[in-house]
Amino acid sequence: MPERATVGIKDVARVAGVSVGTVSNVLNQPQRVSEATRRHVQQVIARLGYVRSEYARQLRAGHSRIVALLVLDMGNPFFVDIARGAERAARAAGLGVMVCNSAQSPAEEAEYLSLFAEQRVRGALITPADPSGATLSDFRRHGIPYVVVDRVAGAGGEADGCSVAVDDVSGGALALRHLLVGGHRSLAFVSGPPHLKQVQDRREGALKALADAGLPQSLLRALPTERLDVGAGRDAGARLLGLTPRPTAVFCANDLLALGVLQALYAAGVRVPEDISIVGYDDIEFAAAATVPLTSVRQPAYTLGTIAAELLLQETGERSAAHRHQHVVLRPELVVRGSSRAIG
């Protein structure tokens, strides 16, 4: 079967009976063309199946209309909401978003950042997986603007770009303080990968709450996991059941871990919150819909994505010369539901 010939902008102009410049204006500056001409040319474009070459347009304009978004785990609804917020802001500015998943791997992160550089994306929104900041340092050499998302900038040269994050130290303190006020003194922390800055900050906040209450750090027993998903939470829940004495409360570094712990406890006949209270983090949509609705520290994920994209648009827009890097830190909020209660 013969290949279909590629339709070019000259073909559209010939069939529409207009100049190539008029077709170009319809595609790129429609306000310069009358409504009747614009509608006619668009009908011809649709009939011929013309698709413009973004690569050629990028060469002419000198910049891309694509923003890259690299997150830790697209299986986590928290990052899906960040992507939704970023996409909405980018689309409002006439840009597209390319979403990529590092799977919490510094090696995957490095490969994607290299791809972004090759494609000369307009800018990048990045949730770092590499604790050293080395991959971001390498990426910075390409001169592509970026915004660090869900992590306060600072380590590894991240301060050279904008950032937007939630105060995870405060969030960890909120979670532990809630359990301490409820009388819990035998506590566990299901942490996820210890190298992640978000995990470190949430643990720091939990330990700060203990210190503020005049209690020793030894009250909080750590149960690290290799991932931040439900399966890892189930594994941690099984280990939790083997602790002596058994904790009366557990704080999990995210809601997926908390939901996995809840499953493990339910399967073992352990009641939540009567026997063990659980507090999660992120307040994803599934938290409120769990068998036992989950107490969680809420992060405004959609807002994180929106603000991150807006900061990037400011840095790459027409007034980029006046742009100054900003580091936005949002406040978390504790949402109390049925998975936690006071004891004694």
Side-chain angles (χ1 to χ4, degrees):
M1 183 176 180
E3 293 186 2
R4 180 180 178 180
T6 301
V7 175
I9 192 171
K10 292 181 180 179
D11 299 309
V12 174
R14 176 177 51 78
V15 174
V18 298
S19 69
V20 170
T22 297
V23 178
S24 178
N25 284 336
V26 169
L27 294 170
N28 300 300
Q29 302 180 77
Q31 72 278 3
R32 300 184 61 179
V33 184
S34 70
E35 183 178 350
T37 299
R38 184 169 65 248
R39 187 181 301 112
H40 172 62
V41 172
Q42 288 171 339
Q43 289 172 347
V44 172
I45 287 172
R47 185 167 76 249
L48 296 180
Y50 168 72
V51 178
R52 65 177 172 178
S53 169
E54 175 60 22
Y55 178 68
R57 192 213 62 82
Q58 181 175 330
L59 287 177
R60 291 191 300 270
H63 57 78
S64 172
R65 294 191 304 119
I66 300 298
V67 170
L69 171 61
L70 180 61
V71 298
L72 291 177
D73 180 12
M74 279 307 294
N76 186 338
F78 170 72
F79 290 110
V80 174
D81 286 342
I82 285 179
R84 287 177 54 243
E87 181 182 32
R88 174 135 188 200
R91 293 292 293 167
L95 304 177
V97 178
M98 174 172 62
V99 182
C100 302
N101 177 29
S102 72
Q104 304 169 35
S105 165
E108 293 277 350
E109 175 180 278
E111 290 182 10
Y112 275 121
L113 293 183
S114 178
L115 174 65
F116 299 163
E118 290 174 7
Q119 297 297 317
R120 300 303 301 174
V121 297
R122 187 187 190 97
L125 309 174
I126 304 165
T127 303
D130 182 0
S132 73
T135 55
L136 271 182
S137 294
D138 289 342
F139 183 65
R140 190 168 62 251
R141 294 182 303 176
H142 298 287
I144 297 174
Y146 65 85
V147 176
V148 175
V149 186
D150 190 36
R151 178 158 153 180
V152 177
E158 294 164 9
D160 288 348
C162 291
S163 68
V164 56
V166 171
D167 186 344
D168 281 326
V169 175
S170 294
L174 280 175
L176 248 288
R177 196 174 298 123
H178 167 67
L179 294 173
L180 294 175
V181 169
H184 296 278
R185 295 296 182 270
S186 181
L187 304 154
F189 178 46
V190 177
S191 68
H195 72 271
L196 292 178
K197 188 66 166 60
Q198 296 90 330
V199 168
Q200 295 170 7
D201 286 349
R202 291 166 198 179
R203 179 177 182 274
E204 179 184 340
L207 295 177
K208 183 179 184 301
L210 286 170
D212 290 345
L215 298 170
Q217 295 185 359
S218 59
L219 290 184
L220 185 67
R221 286 175 280 180
L223 291 171
T225 64
E226 294 183 356
R227 304 179 313 280
L228 284 162
D229 57 26
V230 174
R234 282 195 297 266
D235 293 342
R239 289 153 55 200
L240 179 72
L241 293 170
L243 294 179
T244 305
R246 181 180 292 176
T248 63
V250 55
F251 168 40
C252 299
N254 78 356
D255 285 343
L256 296 182
L257 289 172
L259 293 172
V261 170
L262 179 62
Q263 289 179 7
L265 298 185
Y266 181 82
V270 176
R271 300 172 300 167
V272 175
E274 291 84 358
D275 299 325
I276 297 180
S277 288
I278 302 177
V279 176
Y281 204 102
D282 289 340
D283 195 33
I284 62 175
E285 183 178 358
F286 300 141
T291 304
V292 180
L294 189 63
T295 295
S296 184
V297 177
R298 175 177 293 164
Q299 295 199 85
Y302 186 90
T303 302
L304 278 173
T306 300
I307 293 175
E310 289 172 348
L311 289 173
L312 190 62
L313 292 171
Q314 291 172 18
E315 187 170 357
T316 61
E318 295 180 356
R319 302 181 63 184
S320 59
H323 176 79
R324 295 294 179 269
H325 291 323
Q326 300 177 51
H327 306 293
V328 180
V329 180
L330 306 178
R331 303 294 296 180
E333 174 189 359
L334 180 70
V335 181
V336 179
R337 299 192 182 94
S339 68
S340 62
R341 74 169 192 173
I343 62 172

